[in-house]
């Protein structure tokens, strides 16, 4: 079924969950319940082992018991976040004192459950956290324009060419964004002025040319293979591959 990809995005079935709990009966209960629900489950009784596994990047969500013999769950999470690991975390805690819970969220946790809890409740929390994580990832993807090896993040105001970050002025950024929203289409100087300069523009096309040359220099495009000049008309951004944009709303001039 062609909807398979969309399905796997919205369903949590098959998500990889790491369960970290040192009390064997509780851990076995959780692992069994999650496997029955359809998750792929790894389990561990040690904080150090959990931290190592989180760094291996094949975990979609971690359930961390707070009270572990070698390293407590909050510390695991804090250390993981410090290493740039963004895997969502649900804490299991018997310590329901508010200060502990605050510490958990400050340490980068996404949710917590206080023991004793029902397995149904745990599954619901996991599904909710996975859904929120996917929504956030989708929003990040939608704010990105990609043409060939050029990537532009509209919300973060960042640009990369072939993996190298390029620093652009606000006007250069708007100019590149306008061209990337209209790949392989020739934009006239008038259209560029209209969309890139939002104040009353003196109407000097030479200014557009100047900014195009700034962009080419910064994007290592001195020969104009990326930003092509169509003599007497305007400019076109060459994109040999398909443009990738989740929202696929192109701005029409
Ligand atoms: Ca424990």
């Amino acid at each position: 079924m062609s909807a398979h990809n969309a399905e796997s995005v919205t369903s949590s079935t098959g998500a990889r969950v790491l369960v970290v709990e040192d009390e064997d009966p509780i851990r076995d209960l959780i692992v069994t319940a999650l496997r029955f629900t359809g998750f792929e489950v790894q389990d561990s009784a040690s904080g150090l082992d959990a931290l190592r596994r989180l760094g291996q990047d094949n975990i979609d969500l971690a359930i961390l018991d707070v009270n572990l013999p070698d390293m407590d769950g909050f510390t695991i999470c804090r250390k993981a976040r410090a290493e740039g690991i963004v895997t969502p975390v649900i804490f299991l805690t018997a310590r329901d004192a508010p200060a502990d819970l605050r510490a958990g969220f400050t340490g980068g946790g996404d949710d917590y459950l206080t023991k004793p809890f029902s397995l149904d409740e745990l599954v619901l929390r996991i599904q909710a956290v996975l859904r929120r994580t996917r929504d956030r990832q989708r929003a990040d993807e939608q704010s990105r324009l990609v043409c060939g090896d050029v990537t532009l993040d509209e919300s973060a105001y960042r640009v990369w060419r072939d993996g190298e970050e390029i620093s652009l002025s606000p006007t250069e950024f708007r100019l590149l964004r306008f061209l990337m929203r209209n790949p392989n289409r020739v934009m006239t100087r008038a259209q560029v002025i209209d969309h890139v300069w939002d104040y009353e523009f003196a109407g000097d096309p030479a200014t557009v040319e100047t900014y195009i040359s700034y962009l080419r220099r910064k994007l290592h495009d001195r020969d104009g293979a990326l930003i092509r000049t169509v003599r007497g008309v305007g400019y076109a951004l060459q994109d040999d591959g398909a443009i990738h944009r989740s929202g696929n709303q192109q701005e029409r001039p």
Side-chain angles (χ1 to χ4, degrees), residues 113 133 225:
L113 271 176
T133 305

Side-chain angles (χ1 to χ4, degrees), residues 21-23 65 67-68 115:
E21 162 67 82
D22 60 311
E23 287 161 82
D65 183 31
N67 292 310
L68 293 165
K115 292 176 182 175

Side-chain angles (χ1 to χ4, degrees), residues 134-144 153 155 246:
R134 287 188 185 115
D135 288 348
R136 212 160 47 219
Q137 284 168 347
R138 202 171 301 144
D140 287 349
E141 283 164 14
Q142 280 175 357
S143 75
R144 287 192 171 210
D153 189 318
S155 57
S246 313

Side-chain angles (χ1 to χ4, degrees), residues 35-93:
R35 286 203 175 121
F36 181 76
T37 309
F39 295 109
E40 276 183 37
V41 186
Q42 295 184 28
D43 64 289
S44 176
S46 138
L48 280 169
D49 178 56
L51 192 56
R52 185 183 58 78
R53 289 185 197 221
L54 279 170
Q56 288 171 351
D57 199 31
N58 58 347
I59 306 285
D60 295 314
L61 182 143
I63 297 166
L64 299 182
D65 183 31
V66 170
N67 292 310
L68 293 165
D70 56 344
M71 183 189 290
D72 73 86
F74 295 149
T75 305
I76 297 170
C77 187
R78 240 185 339 262
K79 282 181 183 284
R81 295 292 183 254
E83 289 175 23
I85 296 163
V86 295
T87 310
V89 166
I90 297 176
F91 291 115
L92 302 182
T93 176

Side-chain angles (χ1 to χ4, degrees), residues 55-212:
Q56 288 171 351
D57 199 31
N58 58 347
I59 306 285
D60 295 314
L61 182 143
I63 297 166
L64 299 182
D65 183 31
V66 170
N67 292 310
L68 293 165
D70 56 344
M71 183 189 290
D72 73 86
F74 295 149
T75 305
I76 297 170
C77 187
R78 240 185 339 262
K79 282 181 183 284
R81 295 292 183 254
E83 289 175 23
I85 296 163
V86 295
T87 310
V89 166
I90 297 176
F91 291 115
L92 302 182
T93 176
R95 301 188 293 182
D96 54 357
D100 271 344
L101 297 181
R102 274 201 305 275
F105 286 106
T106 308
D110 298 84
D111 204 350
Y112 68 91
L113 271 176
T114 305
K115 292 176 182 175
F117 53 85
S118 82
L119 291 167
D120 286 346
E121 178 69 13
L122 177 62
V123 168
L124 287 175
R125 298 288 185 98
I126 293 172
Q127 287 166 338
V129 169
L130 287 174
R131 202 162 46 238
R132 283 205 301 272
T133 305
R134 287 188 185 115
D135 288 348
R136 212 160 47 219
Q137 284 168 347
R138 202 171 301 144
D140 287 349
E141 283 164 14
Q142 280 175 357
S143 75
R144 287 192 171 210
L145 289 164
V146 181
C147 288
D149 60 0
V150 180
T151 301
L152 180 146
D153 189 318
E154 297 186 275
S155 57
Y157 275 80
R158 296 172 73 184
V159 172
W160 299 263
R161 178 151 202 204
D162 197 18
E164 177 201 347
E165 182 154 12
I166 310 283
S167 168
L168 299 181
S169 74
T171 303
E172 291 162 353
F173 183 88
R174 286 198 302 274
L175 175 56
L176 180 63
R177 182 177 59 191
F178 178 62
L179 294 174
M180 287 182 77
R181 283 173 174 171
N182 298 280
N184 299 321
R185 301 174 66 205
V186 181
M187 297 292 114
T188 66
R189 289 181 183 80
Q191 286 171 329
V192 170
I193 290 168
D194 219 36
H195 284 82
V196 176
W197 279 269
D198 44 6
Y199 53 87
E200 199 60 46
F201 189 71
D204 182 4
T207 306
V208 178
E209 277 168 44
T210 303
Y211 275 91
I212 290 283

